[in-house]
Each structure stands twice: as structure tokens, then as C-alpha cells.
Amino acid sequence: MRNVKFYIPVIALALLQSCAVNPISASNSTVSATTNSSTFSNAAFKKSFQSINSEELKKHLYIVASDEMQGRDTGSEGQKKAGRYLIEEYQKMGVSHPKAMTSYYQTVPKEALAGRRGNLPESENILAFVEGSEKPEEIIVISAHYDHVGMKDGEIYNGADDDGSGTVALLEIAEAFQMAKKSGNGPKRSVLFLHVTGEEHGLLGSKYYAENPIFPMTNTVVNLNIDMIGRCDPGNCGKDYVYVIGSEMLSTDLKKINEQANKETVNLKLNYRYDDPNDKERLYYRSDHYNFAKNGVPVIFYFDGIHEDYHKPSDTPDKIDYMALQKRAQLVFATAWELANRKDRIIVDRK
């Protein structure tokens, strides 16, 4: 997650503030957000859900956040090496890229990566895709950034939590969906696994995708964004929790669906402390979901809080709570499963 405060135009801020002050009543929603508990009790879901496990997450993270990747700075050889590892894993599980693409890479030109920290080399977003069986044109996007801040003064900033944790969660969630598909129980809507570059330099990779989407934004149902889910912040260590940000900013359905998925599965404490565009930390604007939200796509940002190793070389894989990482990844999967398989697409009833 980027550590520079993200400022938005005054008009957009006023619009978001008015939504927070004058929320549309959930009773006005024309689409029921009720989740049938049988969604989470059927055998196909259970098998896929249980396939997301701490051992696999740990194996992946010790590679993605290893010294060999040299902190995965945007466009660096270390980041590209991490990207090649992700693609190899998708190929092993039989998850390909969108048909409209010739590879997993969406090239992000250096012109689109001109951030506040100077010019950056060309980089890539990485896209993996599980096509839906009934409504393939409707897209569930699950995202995480796979860049970090590289090296400084000879020290490697491994970025195990930021955002190695989200990066490897995407791999496990994709494998879970692919397992269901192989058994004939794949998602009805399509699921796009989007690993974005350039987040640490200003949400640049997700901005590029939003401006050059492989699938139209009008067909994008939701973005579930994972950025730091492997640690705890000082006020929550020892608790089963996750921060949930933005879940009812654009859709009254989405928060209910996420809460029901949580209740039926991992039963984490959902902490809404930062779920306010006026919060002083301004976290709603500081990760890649924002480039979807500002284009009218409902979002959830899953986050573990700001801990002592945030943006330090001490953010290493040995400090990750792998059981917490597992449960949070499972929650994202359960929410995505419901969104991908429910009869009605969630509606945007807040602007």
C-alpha cells in the first residue's frame, strides 16, 4: 500500500462526502442482497474453500518476497522475476489469461508510469482469468499489487505483507475457483485475477487498467482488492479480524453480502474503522480499488492495518501470521463465490 496521502479533486470529494452524509436506505435496493446459506454448504464450495491453506500461502510468499526479488520495485528485474513466478503458477493450475490477450501481460508503458518519484521503466500488469459458465461477460475482479519499493541504501525491502500477502492470496483464490471449474462447478460469472504494477508510485498500474480495461467497466460487477492481509496492527494483535473499507460506498448490496459470507465461513471481526472517506488516514484513496470506485464499480478493500514494519526492510515473510492470511483469503474467496454465482448482479445504488 502506498504511504503518500492521495488527494482527489474537490468535486469528487464533495460527491463522496454527500453520499456518506445522505446514504440511500438499504430498503430502496431493488436487488435482494440475501445470501442463501446453502451457497456455502455445498460440497463444491467447501472443497475449494478448504484448498486455501496456510502452508501453500507460506510457500508462495517465501518466494515472492524473497531477497532474490530485490523488493519488486516497479519495472525492475526483481519484479519481473516475481511476475514470471506468478505466471508459472497459473499455468500449473490450468488458469489462462483472457482470450482477448496474447499473454498474461498487459504492458504498462513508461509514459503511464510517470509518478512523483520520477520516471519509471516499462512494466506489466498480470491478468489471469477463469471464464464464467452462464454470464461470462460479467466480470468479478480480484486485485492485488505485486510491486513494492525495491532497495534503498543496499537494503532489500521485501514487502512480504505489502503486498506479497495479497499477491499470494490471489494465487490461492484462483486455484480454488479453478478446482471448482474442473469438477463442473465453476463460477457463473467470470473472475479476473489482476496483479497490478506501480501501486507504490501512485496506483499507476490500476489506473492504466481502468483507462484501458480488457473488459468494459460497465461489465465489471465488483472489485475485491487485497492489500496487506498477513499481519496485525497494534490494537488488534491476537484478534481474528480484518479491516473492510468501501463496501457500501457504491452498493448497499455489497456490504451485506460480505458480512453474510463472513458469518457463514471464517467469522472474522469485520472492522470498519477506516470505512470513511474523511478518515485522517484516507485509506479509501490509497490502494488500487479506488481506480475502480471512481469509475462506478463497487469495491471492497481488505486490509490488516499499519504495523511497525510497514514500508521497512523488516517486512519479511517470517513475520506473517499465516493462519490469519488464510482466513482473510478465504473470506475474499467466499465473497467472490457468492458474487460470481448469485442470480442477480449487485446494483450500484449510490453515486
Side-chain angles (χ1 to χ4, degrees):
M1 187 185 72
R2 55 191 291 258
N3 65 350
V4 178
K5 288 187 178 181
F6 189 68
Y7 294 97
I8 63 169
V10 174
I11 293 175
L13 179 56
L15 182 61
L16 286 167
Q17 287 173 331
S18 72
C19 291
V21 173
N22 298 300
I24 297 175
S25 169
S27 64
N28 290 338
S29 174
T30 58
V31 178
S32 172
T34 301
T35 300
N36 190 330
S37 61
S38 64
T39 298
F40 305 116
S41 62
N42 71 66
F45 170 79
K46 284 186 174 180
K47 184 176 180 180
S48 293
F49 178 86
Q50 291 166 0
S51 75
I52 300 171
N53 64 78
S54 59
E55 292 81 8
E56 285 292 307
L57 289 161
K58 185 175 184 177
K59 180 193 78 172
H60 292 313
L61 190 54
Y62 264 84
I63 295 171
V64 169
S66 67
D67 285 354
E68 185 179 352
M69 306 305 177
Q70 297 185 322
R72 308 188 308 279
D73 198 8
T74 300
S76 69
E77 175 54 30
Q79 188 203 28
K80 293 180 188 294
K81 187 176 291 186
R84 290 193 291 270
Y85 175 77
L86 299 176
I87 290 170
E88 289 170 2
E89 291 303 306
Y90 283 121
Q91 290 172 331
K92 287 178 185 176
M93 65 180 78
V95 174
S96 189
H97 50 77
K99 292 177 181 177
M101 301 173 64
T102 58
S103 74
Y104 293 87
Y105 293 119
Q106 181 189 40
T107 299
V108 182
K110 62 182 181 180
E111 292 79 11
L113 292 169
R116 286 177 299 279
R117 289 164 59 185
N119 294 328
L120 296 165
E122 179 179 285
S123 189
E124 301 84 23
N125 292 330
I126 293 174
L127 285 68
F129 187 65
V130 174
E131 187 172 46
S133 59
E134 295 182 16
K135 300 180 179 182
E137 73 286 353
E138 295 185 11
I139 312 298
I140 310 297
V141 178
I142 310 177
S143 62
H145 70 90
Y146 74 111
D147 66 311
H148 193 51
V149 299
M151 299 179 64
K152 299 177 185 179
D153 300 323
E155 285 193 284
I156 297 172
Y157 287 62
N158 300 89
D161 195 27
D162 187 11
D163 185 27
S165 59
T167 298
V168 301
L170 256 63
L171 286 178
E172 284 292 287
I173 295 167
E175 187 173 43
F177 272 111
Q178 183 68 357
M179 179 182 293
K181 185 172 182 176
K182 286 180 177 178
S183 69
N185 296 283
K188 295 176 181 178
R189 294 178 177 85
S190 297
V191 185
L192 175 66
F193 302 92
L194 176 62
H195 298 266
V196 292
T197 189
E199 192 271 356
E200 297 287 6
H201 294 276
L203 316 184
L204 301 177
S206 57
K207 180 176 184 290
Y208 186 80
Y209 179 85
E211 294 173 351
N212 303 273
I214 303 303
F215 303 98
M217 283 293 175
T218 53
N219 288 5
T220 302
V221 174
V222 69
N223 170 226
L224 305 180
N225 183 49
I226 313 171
D227 192 351
M228 298 175 58
I229 59 165
R231 296 283 297 272
C232 62
D233 64 8
N236 288 288
C237 287
K239 300 177 183 177
D240 274 351
Y241 79 100
V242 67
Y243 288 108
V244 178
I245 302 170
S247 63
E248 59 179 353
M249 196 67 71
L250 294 173
S251 173
T252 53
D253 287 343
L254 185 54
K255 182 176 182 178
K256 299 173 190 174
I257 290 169
N258 185 63
E259 288 185 340
Q260 186 67 21
N262 179 61
K263 181 180 178 182
E264 297 285 345
T265 58
V266 290
N267 200 29
L268 298 174
K269 175 179 173 53
L270 304 182
N271 192 318
Y272 295 103
R273 172 184 173 184
Y274 297 116
D275 194 24
D276 181 351
N278 298 312
D279 181 81
K280 66 178 181 179
E281 296 291 344
R282 297 174 63 78
L283 291 173
Y284 180 67
Y285 309 109
R286 287 174 55 185
S287 191
D288 294 295
H289 60 280
Y290 183 66
N291 282 314
F292 288 87
K294 71 181 184 181
N295 282 282
V297 177
V299 301
I300 298 179
F301 169 23
Y302 298 91
F303 178 56
D304 60 23
I306 298 174
H307 50 73
E308 61 185 359
D309 297 311
Y310 172 64
H311 275 225
K312 294 181 180 178
S314 48
D315 180 10
T316 50
D318 58 296
K319 295 184 177 179
I320 297 294
D321 180 340
Y322 287 95
M323 186 53 65
L325 177 55
Q326 173 187 308
K327 291 178 181 179
R328 292 161 179 164
Q330 287 175 325
L331 171 60
V332 179
F333 171 68
T335 301
W337 179 277
E338 168 63 18
L339 290 163
N341 289 298
R342 70 197 316 264
K343 178 182 177 182
D344 299 306
R345 171 178 173 169
I346 60 169
I347 62 170
V348 178
D349 53 6
R350 294 183 170 186
K351 297 184 183 297

Short mmCIF file of all heavy atoms in Angstrom, two decimals, residues 17 121 243 278:
data_model
loop_
_atom_site.label_atom_id
_atom_site.label_comp_id
_atom_site.label_asym_id
_atom_site.label_seq_id
_atom_site.Cartn_x
_atom_site.Cartn_y
_atom_site.Cartn_z
N GLN A 17 -18.53 12.76 -0.05
CA GLN A 17 -18.99 13.17 1.26
C GLN A 17 -20.50 13.21 1.32
O GLN A 17 -21.11 12.82 2.30
CB GLN A 17 -18.41 14.55 1.60
CG GLN A 17 -16.93 14.50 1.93
CD GLN A 17 -16.33 15.87 2.09
OE1 GLN A 17 -16.80 16.84 1.49
NE2 GLN A 17 -15.31 15.98 2.91
N PRO A 121 10.70 2.62 -15.54
CA PRO A 121 10.74 1.84 -16.77
C PRO A 121 9.40 1.18 -17.06
O PRO A 121 8.53 1.09 -16.18
CB PRO A 121 11.81 0.79 -16.49
CG PRO A 121 11.82 0.65 -15.00
CD PRO A 121 11.48 2.01 -14.45
N TYR A 243 -9.79 -5.34 8.42
CA TYR A 243 -10.43 -4.07 8.10
C TYR A 243 -11.13 -4.21 6.75
O TYR A 243 -10.57 -4.78 5.80
CB TYR A 243 -9.40 -2.94 8.02
CG TYR A 243 -8.84 -2.52 9.35
CD1 TYR A 243 -7.53 -2.84 9.71
CD2 TYR A 243 -9.60 -1.79 10.26
CE1 TYR A 243 -7.00 -2.47 10.94
CE2 TYR A 243 -9.09 -1.41 11.49
CZ TYR A 243 -7.78 -1.75 11.83
OH TYR A 243 -7.27 -1.37 13.04
N ASN A 278 -13.53 10.45 4.87
CA ASN A 278 -12.99 11.58 5.61
C ASN A 278 -12.02 11.17 6.71
O ASN A 278 -11.52 12.04 7.43
CB ASN A 278 -14.13 12.40 6.22
CG ASN A 278 -15.05 12.97 5.16
OD1 ASN A 278 -14.58 13.55 4.18
ND2 ASN A 278 -16.34 12.79 5.33
#
